[in-house]
Amino acid sequence: MLPWKGELAGRLDVDVISSELLRGNPLGDPAERPIWVYVPPGYDGSDERYPAVYVIQGYTGHVGMWANRTAYRQPFVETADAVFAAGDVPPCIVVYVDAWTAYGGSQFVDSPGTGRYHSYLCDEVVPWVDERYRTIAAAESRAISGKSSGGFGAMITPMLRPDLFGALATHAGDALYELSYVPEFGKAVRFLRDYDGDIFRWWDDFRSRTAFTKECDSELLITLGCSAAFSARDDGTPELPFDPRSGELRVDVWDRWLAWDPVRMVDEYADALRGLRAVWIDAGTRDEWFLDLGAQAFRDGLARIGVPDDRVQFELFEGTHMAIDYRYPMALAWLALRLAR
Amino acid sequence: MLPWKGELAGRLDVDVISSELLRGNPLGDPAERPIWVYVPPGYDGSDERYPAVYVIQGYTGHVGMWANRTAYRQPFVETADAVFAAGDVPPCIVVYVDAWTAYGGSQFVDSPGTGRYHSYLCDEVVPWVDERYRTIAAAESRAISGKSSGGFGAMITPMLRPDLFGALATHAGDALYELSYVPEFGKAVRFLRDYDGDIFRWWDDFRSRTAFTKECDSELLITLGCSAAFSARDDGTPELPFDPRSGELRVDVWDRWLAWDPVRMVDEYADALRGLRAVWIDAGTRDEWFLDLGAQAFRDGLARIGVPDDRVQFELFEGTHMAIDYRYPMALAWLALRLAR
Amino acid sequence: MLPWKGELAGRLDVDVISSELLRGNPLGDPAERPIWVYVPPGYDGSDERYPAVYVIQGYTGHVGMWANRTAYRQPFVETADAVFAAGDVPPCIVVYVDAWTAYGGSQFVDSPGTGRYHSYLCDEVVPWVDERYRTIAAAESRAISGKSSGGFGAMITPMLRPDLFGALATHAGDALYELSYVPEFGKAVRFLRDYDGDIFRWWDDFRSRTAFTKECDSELLITLGCSAAFSARDDGTPELPFDPRSGELRVDVWDRWLAWDPVRMVDEYADALRGLRAVWIDAGTRDEWFLDLGAQAFRDGLARIGVPDDRVQFELFEGTHMAIDYRYPMALAWLALRLAR
Amino acid sequence: MLPWKGELAGRLDVDVISSELLRGNPLGDPAERPIWVYVPPGYDGSDERYPAVYVIQGYTGHVGMWANRTAYRQPFVETADAVFAAGDVPPCIVVYVDAWTAYGGSQFVDSPGTGRYHSYLCDEVVPWVDERYRTIAAAESRAISGKSSGGFGAMITPMLRPDLFGALATHAGDALYELSYVPEFGKAVRFLRDYDGDIFRWWDDFRSRTAFTKECDSELLITLGCSAAFSARDDGTPELPFDPRSGELRVDVWDRWLAWDPVRMVDEYADALRGLRAVWIDAGTRDEWFLDLGAQAFRDGLARIGVPDDRVQFELFEGTHMAIDYRYPMALAWLALRLAR
């Protein structure tokens, strides 16, 4: 394998979508967003319609990163293409969606703290794609997939919009917040000691210098960004779900986060989940945020509400949260075989 | 300083207390317990009465460990003696209490899972000491002190028995359970994968071999022991507060633990706490269980309910959870100056 | 800053160089190599000649990675462009060289284990660039720069070829091998326990599956690759510098590595080093391979042999070995100001 | 098992030896040293003579620590007694020797930096014991055993004095210094940044406050102490084997250390080693100082010089450097079966 190049069997269109819903968003982020649409080999010479898989990213990810190359591996754009190149997996359109914000992410929800990223994804990106590409424009032929925060988005979006998405894949998706988020709050409190307990002082500092040159940066960024997504005030100000000096949970704010825990959402959205054709769930057994346990708990939730086992692919694989991109094409192939066509 | 010996200015009596309350305890632990009582210099030649400080231990600690020697430091028995040897701190009796169980500890509560260690401490040990030593047998002259689980015991015992204890010192005491315990549950779940999710299979394994030769041992021991202390069934069987495969909290069981979180107990026991003469709270800023945050939250709770600042000594010192025994004599001296005499 | 795009003020040419020296290399790696050449703003409209800075990569890096995007930062191709875009730093040509091998790198030396990468760089890449671009084709106008293994290459290449390179920048470059490599050997031995002490069994395993899905992969890859670079037999077989079961150094093989330690090369190549116009040395104070100490030792060596202080820029900055790409444009600007023009 | 007490089947004599050789030692440490001698069950009622096993300690250990109790385990004094209590292992005398210094240890060598601890052990302690106890006063009936620095002492003492010691047990003994010591030097250099590169400034600081309250303390103490043992100047001043700012090895000083590496001593002392009746070597596979590799290298050395396999017990067990005291009685029993009687 040559490390420095990859030719595609299909075709990747690099485009821009102009979002009305993101216009005037509270962080001043652009309303024009990059969007990459992959069409599989054979698309151009046919008039067939195809299922579509929407791919969203983890925290701090933006669509331009899908082309990043690493040693001995190929970017997902290429490994996704390889899924269809051999011809034994039925072809799909793959849509790479951008939901970046100045805080590093949106969690794919509508929030006065970051913007209307859920609606943008569902009511703008999906129609935009359906208009321009020969998709099968139906939930049973549309999946969503992602890792980490992207896995979270992939879990919640079909719950909220079963009319749009009928399948999902979550790789180490955020879930079981007591285990994945609360320990991070403890670290955040310690980091905030250098900022007099004020996360906005850190934010000012962060923007004034090279990012990620302090140990606290990653932790505080995600804390701030998720507070903006899950617990912003009406005026958009993020509220931390914990006391910034003691880490004690602020019950009312924390409850707003918990309302977004996929594990806790299972019962409320049981009908939507039972309507899904295919659910891929995996995570590394040593995930740094215990997302293997979140995956297990989400999977247990599906069983509890009666999602049939044959619609669920569950695996805890040996690994951490890092360098697990080789799992994405596995899920893509599995979904491609199950989407209606 | 000679490392290998220490002569005391006072006197340490090594004795045994025969407990009625521990007789027939569910773990078959002995009802005869070692008890060490230290009397300060001058005690023997006088008929003065003295305040008493009760010292309890952290998890897996037993009274015999107070004599352990480490490099460049002296055992607490000796550093406690040194507090009074110089003569500038008013003398106290110091009582070293044993509350060991087969699970490594009792958390100093009454439980069908371990035994009646709270009652043993309050209704047997205290009277035993008062009968045999010239103590000032009043709450305002009686303090309790400990580290880690011992710090926890030192926080809760005066809340439950303000008639007995009028002062306390907690060094890195267990508190703010969402941060101190929940991440441990995540680790425990992973360790239990080797035991088919069954902590009793681990327990059988643990007892069959040299203890602490597997990485999981410490974690699972404390998980089991605290379940026995906080959430045993009526028949004594410990119930885990989480699903052993997913880590998902079992709300009803977990609530039994939270009912023992000193941070959450503050409001219910506000009167008792407001009646205390002296409260020492400290922890290391890098405590492995975030007990610095637990300390802060407990201290904030005292402020919230109106405990006057001049009764509280609060410090987060540079350090971890380990090797902090040098803090104990500092607290002892501070308490000695505040106990009524 | 928009995270997902960057326009250049200058121009980046993406090209391929066909190497005679790499043809038939022992690993079967391609002789056609990508090469990226950046020309600064103003280049196209003028007939000026420019100094050139050659940029080489760390272990497992290949030229395609220079375009990788990360959150809140821009790729070096863009930050390098920004150095010249403002106009206050005199313009340079920047050449991104590829020296990838199947083992992940070449260490930029000639070796029967990997190929003639040193000669390829000096005798093929440099003339190729000088023929096609308006460089000032003299050592005093040519610098080389890199990080980690690239920093190593940037130190040794001007020592070996002072006729070609008159300046260098090393960011956390490999040096002081007792501290940077030997501890890795210890880890390698432990990893090799799963492969019966045979690194080639690991290599077969590594090539048969997704790379970097085992903890041992990174460690063993660099061990094998550096053995191929520094201590291959005449037939190309890499020889480990240590006993694969005990870690004991094999003195004769280890001496071949030490002969490539920049710290030890200083005296032999003192004349070449004294002839350099500019030497940038930096590293993070917490570098995982102690390369801050390697940097200090190399800097001390330059002082010892009489390189004047005003030609050396030395800094240990707060940081690790990771995410230090923001240092590269700092060095580039500093070099640009010192290269003869 | 009751955790807080242990009765012995044999008898432990706690005594003091007055050393002429330690009198006036350079650190001002006491010449009167504690010595513990254990006699096995049956000793008192008989006139039999017994083999003797000398037990020495790891760095910062002193003889008083042998009584330390830990959870779920018993002190070595008790587990050693248990070896003989059952009656199936032939009885031995066990001698617990103290070789503490103000620097935390002596490495059991004679040095102008610490004192004549090797001679004290061989020429004073051994005769003292032989005079007072019914030992079989011959090398073939005398063993030495220890862990870590004690394991080192147990390896070198019989090499230097085969006339005295005919068997040894080393648990994770210091060896293969490139792997065990050099990485520590890297850490030491970083710690010394806070002391302007001057280890004596750290030493002054260390003595002025509670020991081990700074992260650097353990590292710098052992660095200083081993420099005092291995590379003191004639006037007793310890010389570091590395440049305190760059970590670069000072070859001449480092060679003095290497001369004390058991792995390198094997060939010089081959005759002595070939004369040993029994050699126990073990270490944990994850030893923090790579002493598993040191153990392997020492064992390989014995094979190389022709020590018969049936005299060597070698094992790498699952574990780290910590909490491995349960290995000591295993070695003691093995030695007891092999000493001449």
Side-chain angles (χ1 to χ4, degrees), chain B residues 130-159:
Chain B
D130 286 341
E131 280 165 28
R132 284 161 181 78
Y133 291 88
R134 295 196 313 276
T135 56
I136 307 171
E140 62 186 4
S141 303
R142 197 183 286 115
I144 184 165
S145 146
K147 176 214 168 184
S148 198
S149 287
F152 166 76
M155 284 186 276
I156 63 159
T157 308
M159 289 198 239

Side-chain angles (χ1 to χ4, degrees), chain C residues 49-52 54 126 130 135-143 161-167 277 339-341:
Chain C
R49 301 193 81 84
Y50 298 85
Y54 286 72
V126 170
D130 286 341
T135 56
I136 307 171
E140 62 186 7
S141 302
R142 197 182 287 113
R161 295 297 299 270
D163 58 310
L164 286 185
F165 292 99
R277 296 175 71 88
L339 289 170
R341 63 182 74 226

Side-chain angles (χ1 to χ4, degrees), chain A residues 184-227:
Chain A
E184 305 300 298
F185 298 163
K187 297 177 201 164
V189 168
R190 288 178 175 171
F191 286 133
L192 287 174
R193 287 171 181 159
D194 286 342
Y195 296 93
D196 204 24
D198 182 352
I199 200 165
F200 297 104
R201 285 186 53 183
W202 165 80
W203 178 239
D204 289 344
D205 174 42
F206 179 77
R207 284 185 300 180
S208 71
R209 56 174 168 81
T210 304
F212 302 117
T213 47
K214 294 192 179 173
E215 277 189 283
C216 60
D217 284 352
S218 294
E219 197 72 53
L220 294 178
L221 182 69
I222 199 165
T223 301
L224 182 58
C226 289
S227 295

Side-chain angles (χ1 to χ4, degrees), chain B residues 136-298:
Chain B
I136 307 171
E140 62 186 4
S141 303
R142 197 183 286 115
I144 184 165
S145 146
K147 176 214 168 184
S148 198
S149 287
F152 166 76
M155 284 186 276
I156 63 159
T157 308
M159 289 198 239
L160 300 170
R161 295 298 300 270
D163 59 311
L164 287 185
F165 292 98
L168 72 88
T170 169
H171 305 285
D174 300 354
L176 208 60
Y177 288 2
E178 290 92 343
L179 273 165
S180 55
Y181 277 122
V182 176
E184 305 300 298
F185 298 163
K187 297 177 201 164
V189 169
R190 288 177 174 172
F191 286 134
L192 287 174
R193 287 172 181 159
D194 286 342
Y195 296 93
D196 203 23
D198 182 351
I199 199 164
F200 298 105
R201 285 186 54 181
W202 165 80
W203 178 239
D204 288 344
D205 174 41
F206 179 77
R207 284 184 299 180
S208 72
R209 55 173 168 82
T210 304
F212 303 118
T213 47
K214 294 192 178 174
E215 275 188 286
C216 59
D217 285 351
S218 294
E219 198 73 51
L220 294 179
L221 182 68
I222 200 166
T223 299
L224 182 58
C226 289
S227 295
F230 295 149
S231 55
R233 289 189 213 139
D234 290 344
D235 70 1
T237 311
E239 281 202 282
L240 296 182
F242 55 89
D243 183 295
R245 290 178 198 281
S246 72
E248 194 172 352
L249 292 173
R250 290 167 166 166
V251 175
D252 52 334
V253 189
W254 177 234
D255 278 348
R256 294 181 66 188
W257 286 53
L258 291 178
W260 282 112
D261 184 341
V263 168
R264 293 179 178 237
M265 294 169 75
V266 161
D267 292 289
E268 183 178 350
Y269 295 95
D271 286 342
L273 290 166
R274 277 189 296 257
L276 295 178
R277 297 175 71 87
V279 182
W280 173 288
I281 307 165
D282 68 13
T285 50
R286 294 177 286 121
D287 187 283
E288 289 84 345
W289 289 272
F290 289 120
L291 296 176
D292 48 333
L293 306 193
Q296 180 76 58
F298 185 65

Side-chain angles (χ1 to χ4, degrees), chain D:
Chain D
M1 181 180 78
L2 297 188
W4 48 80
K5 74 161 150 194
E7 317 253 302
L8 299 184
R11 171 169 52 83
L12 186 74
D13 295 340
V14 171
D15 211 329
V16 171
I17 176 171
S18 180
S19 164
E20 285 311 306
L21 292 168
L22 296 185
R23 207 164 303 285
N25 67 70
L27 298 175
D29 288 315
E32 274 70 40
R33 290 304 176 105
I35 183 165
W36 294 3
V37 182
Y38 166 86
V39 295
Y43 180 92
D44 286 329
S46 82
D47 56 3
E48 208 182 330
R49 301 193 79 85
Y50 297 85
V53 179
Y54 286 72
V55 177
I56 56 179
Q57 275 164 313
Y59 212 75
T60 73
H62 59 74
V63 84
M65 291 184 189
W66 286 119
N68 285 358
R69 310 196 75 82
T70 58
Y72 296 94
R73 293 193 182 179
Q74 288 178 282
F76 182 40
V77 166
E78 294 171 23
T79 59
D81 174 71
V83 165
F84 304 115
D88 47 341
V89 171
C92 291
I93 287 168
V94 184
V95 184
Y96 299 89
V97 182
D98 195 275
W100 168 267
T101 76
Y103 288 150
S106 66
Q107 297 302 84
F108 312 98
V109 301
D110 288 346
S111 161
T114 50
R116 304 188 57 191
Y117 285 88
H118 170 69
S119 298
Y120 149 76
L121 168 59
C122 293
D123 297 330
E124 293 187 326
V125 174
V126 170
W128 188 95
V129 171
D130 285 342
E131 280 165 29
R132 285 163 181 75
Y133 291 88
R134 296 195 313 277
T135 56
I136 307 171
E140 61 186 6
S141 302
R142 197 183 284 116
I144 184 165
S145 147
K147 178 213 167 185
S148 197
S149 287
F152 166 75
M155 284 186 276
I156 63 159
T157 307
M159 289 199 240
L160 299 171
R161 294 298 300 271
D163 59 311
L164 287 184
F165 292 98
L168 72 90
T170 168
H171 306 284
D174 302 353
L176 209 58
Y177 288 1
E178 291 91 344
L179 273 165
S180 55
Y181 278 123
V182 176
E184 304 300 298
F185 298 163
K187 297 177 201 165
V189 168
R190 288 177 174 171
F191 286 133
L192 287 174
R193 287 171 181 159
D194 286 341
Y195 296 93
D196 204 24
D198 182 351
I199 200 164
F200 297 105
R201 285 185 54 182
W202 165 79
W203 178 239
D204 288 344
D205 174 41
F206 180 77
R207 285 185 299 181
S208 71
R209 55 174 168 81
T210 303
F212 302 118
T213 47
K214 294 192 178 173
E215 276 188 284
C216 60
D217 285 351
S218 294
E219 198 72 53
L220 294 179
L221 182 69
I222 199 165
T223 299
L224 182 58
C226 289
S227 295
F230 294 149
S231 56
R233 288 188 213 140
D234 291 344
D235 69 0
T237 311
E239 282 201 283
L240 297 181
F242 56 88
D243 182 296
R245 290 178 197 281
S246 72
E248 194 172 352
L249 292 173
R250 290 166 166 167
V251 176
D252 53 334
V253 188
W254 178 233
D255 278 348
R256 295 182 66 187
W257 285 52
L258 290 178
W260 282 112
D261 184 341
V263 169
R264 296 180 176 235
M265 293 169 75
V266 161
D267 291 290
E268 184 177 350
Y269 295 95
D271 285 341
L273 290 166
R274 278 188 294 258
L276 295 177
R277 296 175 71 87
V279 181
W280 173 290
I281 306 165
D282 68 13
T285 50
R286 294 177 285 122
D287 187 283
E288 289 83 344
W289 289 271
F290 290 118
L291 296 176
D292 47 335
L293 305 192
Q296 180 74 60
F298 185 64
R299 199 270 165 270
D300 291 351
L302 297 188
R304 188 180 64 243
I305 62 166
V307 175
D309 282 356
D310 62 3
R311 297 198 204 150
V312 179
Q313 171 67 21
F314 176 73
E315 188 183 352
L316 300 186
F317 55 87
E318 168 64 22
T320 68
H321 197 71
M322 308 306 171
I324 64 174
D325 52 279
Y326 75 97
R327 307 285 307 179
Y328 310 168
M330 298 165 63
L332 179 61
W334 188 85
L335 290 173
L337 288 161
R338 279 153 188 83
L339 289 171
R341 63 181 72 224

